[in-house]
Amino acid sequence: AKVAVLASGRGSNLAAMLDARERGELPVEFVLVGSDKASAGALRLAEAANIPTLALDPRGYPDRRAFDLDLFQRIAASGADWLVLAGFMRILDGEALKPWVGRIINIHPSLLPKYRGLHTHRRALEAGDREHGASVHFVTAELDGGPVIAQAYLPIEAGDDEQLLAQRLLPLEHRLLPTVLALLVSGRLQWDGQAARFDGQPL
Ligand code: GRF
């Protein structure tokens, strides 16, 4: 399976997928890593892994939809079958992403449906939650609203602050995302238009 990835930052989730591939746990070909930030560390990781990269500057477009349509056109041109948002910090236009629904996933650092949007670790702490986590979900036009496929979770500890909690969650994200992607590309997990369904076979 051919996979494109979008990232806006350091790309630790991209790195986790590349590592999983190296370990033989994720049999995919990464055909493109795209970003809205030319300085994104994720692009440096892709370059080092000889993966084609794409940096599109939103300021070069008249509006959000124009940017998204061009971005998706480039992704389609890469031959990607799947699209993974891994630390991508833009909200994608519903029309532009429509053809991809069912083949586009995102990792979000909260136990959805709690804390859609930003500052999830801080919000969980402020709410006095006893646990926190990350969700991999199908992307739809609704921000962080698509069907959740799987979650990783951990207890919130007494000494946690926003930074420490994020730091403790990240390794779980790095196991969750490659695992879900591997299940999807192998067909073990399917989108039935409403939900993510397993084929019921042993993992
Ligand atoms: C991660 O916490 C991820 O859940 C969120 O963006 C953060 C940074 O991701 N979407 P990365 O290190 O750039 O992969």
Side-chain angles (χ1 to χ4, degrees):
K2 296 179 187 295
V3 176
V5 179
L6 295 182
S8 302
R10 72 199 148 182
S12 75
N13 277 290
L14 170 63
M17 290 188 285
L18 295 177
D19 293 347
R21 185 185 62 172
E22 291 313 303
R23 291 194 304 270
E25 295 163 9
L26 183 54
V28 301
E29 177 192 356
F30 290 101
V31 293
L32 181 70
V33 173
S35 185
D36 54 325
K37 300 266 184 290
S39 60
L43 295 179
R44 307 294 81 80
L45 282 171
E47 288 157 2
N50 296 318
I51 299 168
T53 57
L54 172 69
L56 292 187
D57 186 340
R59 292 169 301 187
Y61 295 82
D63 56 40
R64 299 183 62 84
R65 176 167 294 191
F67 174 89
D68 290 357
L69 286 172
D70 189 22
L71 176 62
F72 277 105
Q73 195 279 324
R74 311 287 186 97
I75 292 165
S78 74
D81 308 299
W82 294 90
L83 176 58
V84 179
L85 308 187
F88 187 61
M89 301 311 282
R90 276 177 64 88
I91 298 171
L92 292 167
D93 173 84
E95 277 311 303
L97 71 80
K98 228 185 205 97
W100 287 87
V101 172
R103 300 185 295 146
I104 175 172
I105 61 173
N106 178 47
I107 182 157
H108 178 76
S110 82
L111 293 173
L112 291 172
K114 282 187 168 187
Y115 314 131
R116 293 178 180 169
L118 299 173
H119 310 301
T120 62
H121 316 296
R122 182 196 314 164
R123 290 156 67 191
L125 286 164
E126 283 168 358
D129 291 355
R130 301 179 62 74
E131 61 179 19
H132 184 43
S135 306
V136 174
H137 63 95
F138 284 110
V139 173
T140 61
E142 192 186 3
L143 175 66
D144 299 329
V148 173
I149 300 170
Q151 297 185 319
Y153 62 91
L154 76 176
I156 291 180
E157 309 286 0
D160 277 337
D161 60 16
E162 185 176 354
Q163 189 197 357
L164 182 55
L165 185 54
Q167 203 178 314
R168 292 198 306 110
L169 178 59
L170 212 45
L172 279 69
E173 296 182 36
H174 295 165
R175 284 195 288 278
L176 179 67
L177 182 56
T179 301
V180 170
L181 184 58
L183 287 169
L184 283 170
V185 300
S186 66
R188 301 285 316 278
L189 191 74
Q190 306 248 332
W191 156 263
D192 72 355
Q194 298 294 323
R197 298 172 68 176
F198 266 99
D199 61 11
Q201 301 307 311
L203 277 179

